[in-house]
Amino acid sequence: MSVGFIGAGRMAQALSRGFISKGIVKPQKMMASDQSESILDFMKKQGVSTTNCNIELVERCDLVVMAVKPHLVADVLQEISDFFTTDKMFVSIAAGVPLEVLETNLPEETRVLRAMPNTACLVHAGTEDQLDAVTGLSGSGPAYAFATIESLADGGVKMGLPRDMATKLAAQTLFGAAKMVLESGKHPGQLKDEVCSPGGTTITAMHELERGGFRGTIMDAVEASALKAKEMG
Ligand code: NAD
């Protein structure tokens, strides 16, 4: 079976690398389409054929994986749907794009699947250590974040805020900070420095966090979870 990736970005690269290293699909049986030549270079180096034309990819592949960003899925479906025949299979990994949207934009009776690979795919380098580290960080991480939100809310309640408002503020604060890290591309330490005015409230609070071993405790938690994953693995 030949497999084609529409969009050759991070997920397509991680999945194709995984398919090759596990011997699931040979590179000669894979193809990737993207508008960016520099992105396609990675695929070429792996022996995967490349194209700038999504329609060519659809015509040449039995299984087509939609790996563009979610907001682009509908446009790409419109572009390829006339060339999609029912002997082919379609898989979307786009987050938040429902099956119905995929099915209504493809010919009737097309076999359509939705899959949600997790971040571990992105570091699939065949090394167990990295996968254990991902478990310690982002597998167990939501629990650390929930505990942080709860602690922030407790602090707010202690200082007089109603519980509902404190929890919402705490969650929005973490959400906003995470968004800034992802969107600004700045080092989190720099963003922290930018919000600490000399002699101000935030640096005073940071001092308390440091005194309590905040960062070391979180690092210890990631390490403990990763070591546990390795032990169980
Ligand atoms: P990415 O931005 O790294 O890759 C997307 C690629 O699509 C880019 O190389 C871009 O040039 C290309 N592209 C844009 N328009 C195109 C078009 N019209 N035709 C062909 N190619 C086009 O994104 P990603 O992180 O690889 O995510 C891809 C999909 O995987 C998303 O829908 C996302 O929701 C889903 N996903 C990502 C993750 C993750 O951890 N990154 C996890 C699960 C699912």
Side-chain angles (χ1 to χ4, degrees):
M1 178 187 277
S2 50
V3 177
F5 295 94
I6 299 187
R10 292 178 308 154
M11 281 314 283
Q13 291 175 18
L15 289 170
S16 62
R17 199 164 54 218
F19 289 165
I20 294 168
S21 70
K22 296 278 174 204
I24 297 167
V25 189
K26 291 196 171 75
Q28 309 89 281
K29 288 278 192 184
M30 276 193 276
M31 189 170 193
S33 67
D34 205 293
Q35 293 146 337
S36 156
E37 282 302 329
S38 57
I39 293 275
L40 288 177
D41 277 350
F42 174 87
M43 292 294 193
K44 281 185 195 149
K45 279 187 198 135
Q46 292 198 122
V48 172
S49 24
T50 61
T51 176
N52 301 117
C53 176
N54 294 332
I55 291 165
E56 184 194 349
L57 179 136
V58 166
E59 285 177 339
R60 289 182 48 188
C61 295
D62 305 315
L63 189 152
V64 174
V65 181
M66 179 66 88
V68 298
K69 290 284 186 203
H71 68 282
L72 298 170
V73 169
D75 283 351
V76 176
L77 284 173
Q78 292 232 320
E79 183 190 343
I80 62 169
S81 70
D82 285 349
F83 302 86
F84 215 93
T85 46
T86 50
D87 54 326
K88 297 178 189 295
M89 188 179 248
F90 182 89
V91 179
S92 168
I93 61 165
V97 180
L99 207 48
E100 302 82 72
V101 170
L102 308 171
E103 282 171 343
T104 50
N105 280 288
L106 286 165
E108 247 178 77
E109 293 182 20
T110 305
R111 288 167 297 162
V112 181
L113 286 174
R114 231 190 112 183
M116 190 40 63
N118 64 22
T119 2
C121 294
L122 283 176
V123 293
H124 179 91
T127 75
E128 258 309 310
D129 282 353
Q130 276 184 316
L131 288 179
D132 291 336
V134 170
T135 302
L137 197 166
S138 59
S140 307
Y144 321 150
F146 296 140
T148 307
I149 290 170
E150 190 190 12
S151 318
L152 286 170
D154 280 350
V157 170
K158 183 174 181 205
M159 297 315 291
L161 294 178
R163 170 65 63 184
D164 275 7
M165 182 195 283
T167 304
K168 266 190 203 138
L169 282 175
Q172 275 167 1
T173 303
L174 251 71
F175 179 69
K179 216 164 165 268
M180 277 180 81
V181 171
L182 292 173
E183 289 176 3
S184 70
K186 290 184 186 172
H187 188 284
Q190 184 186 344
L191 290 167
K192 183 264 294 167
D193 286 355
E194 285 172 7
V195 294
C196 285
S197 330
T201 49
T202 311
I203 193 68
T204 306
M206 284 307 300
H207 188 186
E208 289 299 325
L209 288 178
E210 293 301 332
R211 216 197 306 268
F214 181 72
R215 285 189 290 178
T217 305
I218 291 177
M219 285 171 71
D220 284 347
V222 173
E223 184 180 49
S225 170
L227 292 175
K228 183 73 184 174
K230 192 181 186 121
E231 185 188 310
M232 290 163 69

